[in-house]
Amino acid sequence: MTLLLRDVVAVLERLYPPHTAQSWDQVGLVTGDPEQPVERILLALDPTLAVIEEARVTQADLLITHHPLLLRGIHSVATTTAKGASVTGLVVGDIALYVAHTNADVAVAGVCEALATAAGLTDSEPLVLVEDQPLGRMGRLASPMTLGDFATALYAALPPAAAGLRVAGPADALVETVAVLGGAGDDQFDAVRACGADVYVTADLRHHPALEAREEARGGTPYLVDAGHWSSESVWLPTVRDALASALRVDIDISTVRTDPWTFTVGATTAGGSP
């Protein structure tokens, strides 16, 4: 029995209901005919040109990404821009694109829950409600450990990125309660303080919000771990692969393209304080 795109979309919308996306977001089917057959799916965090080329080479009929291709309005899809070349590549290659973004962040088997699992949390619960949806997770480690050991274990559990993890706090401090929010999360410091977490794991921490958070902590908790946007959210891809595989008979691949924009670092300092 031929699997159609609309059948895959129906499963995706059960897993990640579009109405749970935040009001500013753009999710759902971006390109493709709901009646076209789907034999192979490629999963990726970002619909970059390299990922779209990988979908073409692997003969994927459907590309599912976390980040939207067309979050803001554009007025041309000419190949003179990367966005235009991306749309053209999808259409010419007969590759459907589906986006599950903030609706995947808040889902039961979503991005934040995958990050909580990678962080080793038990009995996690939502960190905060945003537009009536449970964003982020907060829970406990199986046993207390030092901040340095926690960061080392988290790094090992996440897809590796060139920038590694940035940590604010003493490496020998004991931690047990952890809040997580995949992707950019420096707008949720109030919620992290309110839940009493020892550590906050998120990404894209800007200088001023992070510095102010550490100032408010007076050197204590919550300590901060910037796990990187790509790493903190790519950890979700195996989860969506397994969820789709349990519902559909279709080949599913996870992209081998690392869409983290950073390629190397210089002069990083270790937990012991040495470069």
Side-chain angles (χ1 to χ4, degrees):
M1 189 172 180
T2 302
L3 179 69
L4 300 179
L5 178 56
R6 58 177 166 83
D7 301 319
V8 184
V9 169
V11 172
L12 287 166
E13 293 189 347
R14 287 199 299 271
L15 293 169
Y16 315 110
H19 74 270
T20 63
Q22 294 184 27
S23 57
W24 52 264
D25 202 7
Q26 300 294 332
V27 302
L29 192 62
V30 180
T31 64
D33 180 348
E35 300 304 314
Q36 72 185 71
V38 174
E39 296 181 358
R40 182 174 293 276
I41 297 172
L42 181 66
L43 306 176
L45 196 70
D46 302 281
T48 63
L49 288 167
V51 168
I52 293 168
E53 175 62 14
E54 182 183 28
R56 186 192 67 79
V57 169
T58 59
Q59 298 183 319
D61 307 294
L62 170 61
L63 173 61
I64 300 172
T65 66
H66 180 51
H67 292 143
L69 175 62
L70 304 174
L71 184 59
R72 297 176 179 86
I74 62 173
H75 305 288
S76 169
V77 292
T79 58
T80 51
T81 67
K83 291 290 186 186
S86 298
V87 173
T88 299
L90 290 165
V91 173
V92 172
D94 200 22
I95 302 166
L97 172 63
Y98 188 93
V99 172
H101 191 208
T102 53
N103 50 330
D105 288 332
V106 302
V108 172
V111 174
C112 292
E113 191 164 290
L115 181 56
T117 299
L121 302 190
T122 60
D123 301 323
S124 66
E125 59 187 39
L127 171 64
V128 65
L129 290 180
V130 176
E131 296 186 11
D132 296 324
Q133 297 300 322
L135 186 63
R137 293 291 186 271
M138 188 272 180
R140 290 183 175 274
L141 301 172
S143 59
M145 62 177 65
T146 67
L147 178 61
D149 287 343
F150 169 74
T152 299
L154 178 63
Y155 177 75
L158 295 179
L165 275 64
R166 298 188 299 169
V167 182
D172 59 354
L174 282 180
V175 298
E176 184 175 11
T177 55
V178 181
V180 304
L181 177 55
D186 63 14
D187 60 340
Q188 295 301 332
F189 283 128
D190 286 344
V192 173
R193 283 188 284 266
C195 77
D198 296 326
V199 189
Y200 182 33
V201 179
T202 187
D204 293 354
L205 289 177
R206 296 168 295 169
H207 175 84
H208 294 296
L211 182 60
E212 289 172 6
R214 294 304 299 140
E215 288 281 279
E216 289 296 336
R218 303 297 198 275
T221 61
Y223 307 122
L224 308 178
V225 176
D226 188 324
H229 203 121
W230 180 81
S231 290
S232 69
E233 294 188 323
S234 288
V235 71
W236 164 71
L237 296 177
T239 300
V240 65
R241 176 197 60 197
D242 295 346
L244 290 173
S246 67
L248 302 166
R249 294 177 61 87
V250 63
D251 292 327
I252 307 172
D253 300 314
I254 294 177
S255 175
T256 61
V257 177
R258 189 184 71 178
T259 56
D260 181 18
W262 308 110
T263 52
F264 66 92
T265 60
V266 176
T269 302
T270 66
S274 60

